[in-house]
Amino acid sequence: MTRKKPSPAPVVLALLLLSSAVAAVSGQSPAPKQTAANNPRLQKAYVALQALKRAITDDPKNLTKNWCGADVCAYFGVFCAPSLDDPHVLTVAGLDLNHGDLAGTFPEELGLLTDLALLHLNSNRFAGGLPESLPKLHLLHELDVSNNRLSGGFPQHILCLPNVKYVDIRFNNLCGPVPAAIFDKNLDALFLNDNHFDFELPENFGNSPASVVVLANLRLRGCIPQSVGKMAGTLNELVVLNSGVRSCIPQEVGWLRELTVLDLSFNQIQGMLPESMAGMHKLEQLDVAHNDLWGHIPEGICALPSLKNFTYSYNFFCSEPQRCLDIRRIDDRQNCIAGRPDQRPGDQCLAFLHRPPPHCDEHGCFGPPPQKPPQKPHY
């Protein structure tokens, strides 16, 4: 589910070439090269980058070998561009040290990079937490510190970044609750997966305008909120596999008309697949394997025009429309479907069918069964 992030280098190069061309046409002599020696913004960047270099305890690829001297724009992984408030002044707009295998911690001086738009530090060995100075990066658009060794609670300072759109903190050792406020942020992508977060999806979950939300391999409690239907116009991918979700699938999931990927596998989801899912016309991949779903597969789901992969193995479905078998890739193993190969033993299916069915309330959560009205006594 990883999105390829564009490198700012071609944009920076184009801007620099354009500046040189304008100077040549106008007959002006080119301005002196901007460095930390004559540009206060680059001077602050120099302080921040040198602090980061000192905080790196192992650099096996020598990525910071050339991080010397005042020309910070020439440092490996550092990208400069004209500042937004003064196009004549260069500033550090991007820092990309992805896949560097760097070990170390994040110094507070990173807050001096106040014009930073991209901070890409994934696939390293940074430990500890994000710096307290993170909110000073008020222009930050993309934050990717995934696949590191970060620990502690959810980095609350992310909530103070006014312009961040892409948050990727997956594959770390972060733990504890995730604040509900993250789903009110104006994000385009949110990757929380493969941490030790332990929380309940809040009712404001559906407020998120994100196109991609990945919550895999966490410790979720509660149910899929009914508010998920509010994400109908924006959500493209929702991945909640192996996260301990214990609920039914709310009808509102079927409202997600822009969704292309839905993965709810390896949870404790019960009940039936909602008929409303027949309205998810852009859905390409649907995985509900390894749950306790039962009943009939709605034919409308198998008739979805874009569906290429439908996995519903290791459940207790008792029938499937013939149309399902026409999908490019299906997996219906280990169900209770008569006439299909590799199904559950009959005694397992009978035992399941004799269990009391789950009662899901109007929010899709498990609840007590409705109480029968008391019988009037007969005299």
Side-chain angles (χ1 to χ4, degrees), residues 246-262:
R246 187 173 182 270
S247 73
C248 302
I249 300 177
Q251 291 285 338
E252 288 77 10
V253 164
W255 300 357
L256 301 175
R257 61 180 183 273
E258 299 297 323
L259 205 67
T260 60
V261 175
L262 177 60

Side-chain angles (χ1 to χ4, degrees), residues 1-6 95-100 106 110 116-126 130 134 137 140-148 150 155 158 161 164-172 174 189-193 195:
M1 304 302 166
T2 305
R3 288 181 156 188
K4 184 179 180 182
K5 295 181 283 295
L95 177 60
D96 188 341
L97 296 173
N98 285 349
H99 303 280
F106 295 131
L110 283 180
L116 205 65
L118 307 172
L119 181 58
H120 295 169
L121 298 171
N122 78 49
S123 304
N124 287 291
R125 290 177 284 141
F126 285 108
L130 295 177
L134 188 70
L137 308 183
L140 194 64
H141 189 270
E142 295 188 8
L143 173 65
D144 184 355
V145 289
S146 60
N147 196 21
N148 277 284
L150 301 181
I158 292 175
L161 297 172
V164 69
K165 300 292 185 185
Y166 184 103
V167 173
D168 191 348
I169 57 176
R170 58 187 153 169
F171 290 102
N172 278 290
L174 301 168
L190 178 62
F191 297 88
L192 302 178
N193 53 292
N195 280 286

